[in-house]
Amino acid sequence: MIRTRIAPSPTGNLHIGTARTALFNYLFAKKMGGKFIVRIEDTDLERSSRKFEKDILAGLAWLSIEADESPVAGGKFGPYRQSERTETYRKNLEILLSGGLAFYCFHSQKELLEERESLMKSKKPPVHLCEYRNMGPQESEIFKEAKRDYIIRFKNHVGRQIFFHDLIRGDLTFESDLIGDFSIAKRIDIPLYNFAVVVDDETMQISHCIRGEDHLSNTPKQILLIEALGFKKPKYAHLPLILGLDRSKLSKRHGATSVGEYKEMGYLPEAMFNFMSLLGWNPGDDREILPKEELIKLFSLEKVQKSGAIFDINKLDWMNGEYIRRKSLAELSELSRPFLKNFLRGSKSKEHIEKILAVEQPRLKKLSDLPEKTDYFFKEPKYERGLLRWKKMTDDEISSSLNLAIGLLKENKSLEIEKLEKVFLEEAQKMGDRGLLFWPLRVALSGKEASAGPFEIIKILGIEKTAARLKYALKLFS
Ligand code: GLU
């Protein structure tokens, strides 16, 4: 049975990097008919909070990366929070300690720091081969009773090579001498990451450990612990880092980094799902719009790239637009509601909103652009009168253009909009430059440099409002 997992620490909101890792774990598990598990790594009680756990789980649910087992979904390998698994860790720590495979280290922070600095100074790797590694249990007890501060370390092998095969990076080798006696717990009931993760992966029967490349240096440590405890080694796949457009590691400097922020900005979960799937993977051809079901069919770890994956916001904008265009107007109107809420007070009918959205749907990139793009449908536009000027028109020419529009509107008010547009077009053609009639008209209606075309707007505003806005524009020149 294929079982994959993510193990986020609830010390911040759901990060794009974690979401991408979750997605690859999910796609792989689903493709193989396996299970995807979310467990919460909250051993650092000071930095962990339920608020962040909620954000992480809600973000995954929003993206429809559904967990088969999690603190909320439950499952038979639970509990799924490390803080609730203390007994399991303790048992396994005791096995290592009593077998002489782990030991109590009584060095103070200061001593360790000094050792590190002196090693660095003499250009040696900062590896701690602990003086306490051979201390027997009785002596350790005496030290502990004397209230000496301690941590628990793994007694590493000397001069050993650790091999493993990474499904993305191929065969890798690490030297135990460059790892040293690494720490595995702060106390018997406070395990540290490398130890807890190994116990969790074993007890949750994780078959594939798919995680960020930043964990590569942890893997040999985890393999040593797996061997020491007689556990089964999962398969490993380390995903490339996500980079900003400048090729440095994605960070706040590049813009939003949490999934929640993208939701707030009006990106659709389907678009995020699709976009993130291409962060380090592609189907082997140039297809990019790949909905969830298709991605599950196509995904393979072999096609994950080794080099960093660039997070290109322009591509996300484009892709989001594509997904927006796949929505029905009813769906789009439902999705847009939170973004237009300031305009929706009062009696705006559903059809009215849908008509407005139909105008914007073909060019919209994200839902949060809607208020700025559609406000003039809901309230009178405000603008500088200079905006009404097309090219080098004089004030008088603008006034007469507006007057002409008002006149044409009055004469043809019973015409259908398409016919009305024809009348305007014919008139504009006579003027030699369509902009002379259409630009002031469009700006008078929208108050914007860029907007939908004037007749798209008139269709929604109606003749009366259109005439009123033209008259208002005209007044700016009186
Ligand atoms: N808490 C770690 C992280 O979120 C888990 C790493 C792992 O998958 O082993 O990066």
Side-chain angles (χ1 to χ4, degrees), residues 55-197:
D55 181 87
I56 292 167
L57 296 175
L60 292 173
W62 179 71
L63 289 165
S64 82
I65 302 177
E66 300 104 4
D68 295 296
E69 297 165 29
S70 76
V72 186
K76 61 177 180 184
F77 298 91
Y80 293 91
R81 280 186 200 98
Q82 283 187 342
S83 57
E84 294 162 10
R85 301 172 60 77
T86 317
E87 252 333 285
T88 317
Y89 305 129
R90 175 199 286 269
K91 261 200 321 236
N92 284 287
L93 268 175
E94 274 162 0
I95 292 174
L96 290 182
L97 284 165
S98 61
L101 300 166
F103 62 92
Y104 292 96
C105 155
F106 297 97
H107 283 295
S108 66
Q109 285 288 349
K110 191 163 163 273
E111 284 171 333
L112 291 170
L113 211 68
E114 280 168 4
E115 180 191 60
R116 195 183 164 82
E117 276 167 8
S118 111
L119 285 168
M120 303 267 270
K121 238 187 229 151
S122 51
K123 303 227 164 356
K124 289 196 188 118
V127 174
H128 179 66
L129 206 60
C130 192
E131 284 156 26
Y132 297 100
R133 66 200 316 263
N134 292 320
M135 191 183 240
Q138 278 143 359
E139 222 180 324
S140 295
E141 275 317 304
I142 297 171
F143 271 59
K144 275 164 69 189
E145 268 159 34
K147 300 248 179 296
R148 291 274 301 256
D149 225 6
Y150 70 86
I151 60 169
I152 301 170
R153 289 182 184 277
F154 178 71
K155 186 169 167 183
N156 204 347
H157 309 253
V158 176
R160 213 198 109 173
Q161 289 195 316
I162 304 135
F163 298 98
F164 72 91
H165 179 78
D166 186 282
L167 293 171
I168 297 165
R169 270 144 230 280
D171 290 330
L172 299 170
T173 310
F174 291 79
E175 305 288 334
S176 68
D177 290 356
L178 292 178
I179 298 173
D181 297 331
F182 56 93
S183 52
I184 55 175
K186 277 194 194 165
R187 294 278 172 279
I188 195 79
D189 50 4
I190 311 180
L192 289 169
Y193 162 71
N194 279 308
F195 177 77
V197 88

Side-chain angles (χ1 to χ4, degrees), residues 5-9 18 39 41 193 197 201 209-211 214-215 222:
R5 88 306 190 264
I6 54 157
S9 308
T18 310
R39 69 169 185 250
E41 224 165 71
Y193 162 71
V197 88
D201 284 346
C209 188
I210 305 168
R211 59 187 171 200
D214 44 333
H215 285 290
Q222 292 174 16

Side-chain angles (χ1 to χ4, degrees), residues 202-296:
E202 167 77 10
T203 48
M204 294 182 184
Q205 294 180 15
I206 299 302
S207 65
H208 288 71
C209 188
I210 305 168
R211 59 187 171 200
E213 168 190 292
D214 44 333
H215 285 290
L216 209 48
S217 63
N218 287 320
T219 305
K221 296 180 187 169
Q222 292 174 16
I223 290 175
L224 289 168
L225 289 170
I226 287 169
E227 287 174 0
L229 287 160
F231 290 169
K232 187 164 182 284
K233 196 165 81 181
K235 291 199 163 50
Y236 294 98
H238 288 88
L239 306 174
L241 287 182
I242 302 177
L243 311 176
L245 280 171
D246 63 355
R247 300 196 154 265
S248 67
K249 192 175 170 198
L250 188 71
S251 72
K252 277 269 164 231
R253 240 171 2 97
H254 298 104
T257 52
S258 75
V259 169
E261 285 171 286
Y262 285 89
K263 182 181 177 198
E264 299 276 295
M265 283 191 282
Y267 290 97
L268 302 183
E270 300 93 318
M272 291 299 290
F273 191 102
N274 189 161
F275 174 74
M276 288 192 309
S277 75
L278 298 173
L279 289 176
W281 173 87
N282 68 69
D285 53 36
D286 49 14
R287 274 177 301 170
E288 298 208 287
I289 299 292
L290 295 161
K292 183 173 178 178
E293 295 315 318
E294 197 126 352
L295 283 168
I296 292 174

Side-chain angles (χ1 to χ4, degrees), residues 400 402-416 419-421 423-424 426-427 430 463 467 470-471:
S400 51
L402 291 167
N403 262 321
L404 174 63
I406 294 170
L408 287 174
L409 213 58
K410 207 166 169 186
E411 283 161 36
N412 300 286
K413 61 172 175 256
S414 50
L415 283 187
E416 284 166 26
K419 294 204 175 120
L420 183 68
E421 185 172 5
V423 172
F424 271 73
E426 276 162 22
E427 207 59 42
K430 280 190 225 155
I463 300 290
L470 284 168
K471 282 178 196 153

